[in-house]
């Protein structure tokens, strides 16, 4: 019997998901409000953010992923992969690159409002969520010391710094967009958990019993579900905050252009005033 390979997994589950989301994304974008120029400008910013997040995801995940493979947290079935770079097969790096795009393509179906309402007690929000991220990190480091909790601890300890940064930067704004964040995260998480369960069933990769809690969700190890949850949350929150930063930067630039600097350009302003005063209603 020919084994189900990691490359075939990509072709069977990830590529069709990307193509489907691209096709449906064109429909949702064509019905969005705004002029074609406004939509094009907004999408250029959006996909620039996706590229940035993808590069960061690859850089941040690669050492962690290879370390866990080297520790024997999971391994790959015989004949299921093409070749390896470091400890991970080439298909693993493709997965790291494709996952943010699946999540971003799904998130692109949501209408992105440019308004960012101010939230009461923003400092309290940021301090509280930073403490929550710190608690996740402490729990993760504690679990690293136990054999069965090692994988779960590795996921939580690895996720905590990213969550802390994102929540300190914009937890009030993320809460204001909580419906978008929740739906944007949970739907791709559910899909990736489902296909991950298929991959495990077919032996593409094998999760170690020694380093896992043994808790499963519909047959999927808890650790795998938590991994997809936090990584999709990274992507969604990152894109929402990227939108916030670009909107605020654009507002700052427009305000700077609209407000002349008298000290730097006095002669230019004086010429404009003089030119205006010389004009008559007749011409």
């Amino acid at each position: 019997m020919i084994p189900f390979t990691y490359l075939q997994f990509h072709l069977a589950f990830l590529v069709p998901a990307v193509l489907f989301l691209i096709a449906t994304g064109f429909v949702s974008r064509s019905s969005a409000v705004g002029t074609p120029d406004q939509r094009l400008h907004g999408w250029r910013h959006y996909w620039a953010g996706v590229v940035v997040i993808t590069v960061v995801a690859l850089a941040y995940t690669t050492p962690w992923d290879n370390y866990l493979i080297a520790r024997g947290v999971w391994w790959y079935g015989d004949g299921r992969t093409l070749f390896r770079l470091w400890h991970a097969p080439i298909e693993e790096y493709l997965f790291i690159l494709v996952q943010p795009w699946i999540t971003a393509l799904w998130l692109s179906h949501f209408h992105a409002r440019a308004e960012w309402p101010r939230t009461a007690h923003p400092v309290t929000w940021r301090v509280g969520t930073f403490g929550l991220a710190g608690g996740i990190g402490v729990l993760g480091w504690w679990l690293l010391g136990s054999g069965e909790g090692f994988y779960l601890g590795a996921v939580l300890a690895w996720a905590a710094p990213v969550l802390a940064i994102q929540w300190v930067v914009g937890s009030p704004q993320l809460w204001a967009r909580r419906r978008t964040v929740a739906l944007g995260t949970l739907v791709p998480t559910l899909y990736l958990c489902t296909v991950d369960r298929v991959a495990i069933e077919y032996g593409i990769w094998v999760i170690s019993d020694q380093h896992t809690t043994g808790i499963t969700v519909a047959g999927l190890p808890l650790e795998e579900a938590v991994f997809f949850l936090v990584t999709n949350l990274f992507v969604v929150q990152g894109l929402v905050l990227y939108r916030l930063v670009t909107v605020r930067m654009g507002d700052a630039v427009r305000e700077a252009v609209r407000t002349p600097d008298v000290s730097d350009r006095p002669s230019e302003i004086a010429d404009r005033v003089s030119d205006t005063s010389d004009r008559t209603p007749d011409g």
Side-chain angles (χ1 to χ4, degrees):
M1 180 178 177
I2 299 175
F4 187 31
T5 67
Y6 203 164
L7 181 59
Q8 289 172 329
F9 171 84
H10 279 277
L11 296 175
F13 297 112
L14 302 188
V15 172
V18 169
L19 295 177
F20 173 78
L21 290 170
I22 289 174
T24 54
F26 277 117
V27 175
S28 65
R29 286 194 291 274
S30 65
S31 62
V33 296
T35 65
D37 287 342
Q38 289 173 332
R39 290 199 296 270
L40 179 61
H41 181 72
W43 287 116
R44 283 174 178 170
H45 276 296
Y46 183 80
W47 295 116
V50 176
V51 171
V52 170
I53 287 173
T54 302
V55 172
V56 172
L58 182 63
Y60 190 63
T61 306
T62 294
W64 178 86
D65 195 81
N66 279 271
Y67 171 71
L68 294 187
I69 294 172
R71 283 291 302 265
V73 174
W74 71 83
W75 58 89
Y76 302 89
D78 294 337
R80 306 306 176 106
T81 60
L82 294 175
F83 62 90
R84 299 196 178 205
L85 293 175
W86 200 357
H87 298 291
I90 187 66
E91 297 93 335
E92 185 82 355
Y93 299 101
L94 291 175
F95 199 148
I96 296 171
L97 290 172
V98 171
Q99 183 187 343
W101 286 83
I102 289 177
T103 306
L105 284 165
W106 164 248
L107 185 65
S108 70
H109 290 66
F110 293 81
H111 174 56
R113 294 174 297 159
E115 300 81 14
W116 293 94
R118 296 188 179 275
T119 305
H121 311 297
V123 175
T124 303
W125 270 96
R126 292 182 170 90
V127 171
T129 51
F130 179 80
L132 177 59
I136 292 172
V138 170
L139 176 60
W141 281 103
W142 178 74
L143 287 171
L144 283 172
S146 63
E148 295 81 3
F150 181 81
Y151 186 11
L152 182 59
V155 173
L156 296 179
W158 171 79
V162 178
L163 295 176
I165 292 171
Q166 291 182 333
W167 290 345
V168 167
V169 169
S171 55
Q173 289 75 23
L174 291 171
W175 179 251
R177 298 287 192 273
R178 56 190 178 275
R179 181 177 179 275
T180 297
V181 171
L183 290 176
T185 301
L186 293 177
V187 171
T189 296
L190 180 61
Y191 178 74
L192 291 171
C193 284
T194 301
V195 300
D196 184 63
R197 178 70 181 86
V198 173
I200 293 173
E201 183 68 26
Y202 279 91
I204 297 177
W205 50 80
V206 182
I207 309 299
S208 170
D209 293 333
Q210 180 183 355
H211 296 299
T212 53
T213 61
I215 302 172
T216 61
V217 180
L220 182 72
L222 172 66
E223 294 82 357
E224 292 284 276
V226 173
F227 170 78
F228 286 119
L229 178 64
V230 297
T231 50
N232 285 318
L233 188 61
F234 292 168
V235 175
V236 172
Q237 291 187 154
L239 288 172
V240 170
L241 293 176
Y242 183 85
R243 168 80 171 166
L244 167 65
V245 171
T246 54
V247 167
R248 288 186 172 176
M249 288 179 61
D251 291 344
V253 170
R254 285 189 291 272
E255 185 65 26
V257 171
R258 190 162 47 246
T259 305
D261 191 334
V262 178
S263 62
D264 289 344
R265 299 183 295 174
S267 59
E268 181 181 341
I269 296 172
D271 291 342
R272 290 180 181 177
V273 173
S274 175
D275 181 64
T276 303
S277 62
D278 290 342
R279 295 177 184 174
T280 65
D282 295 329

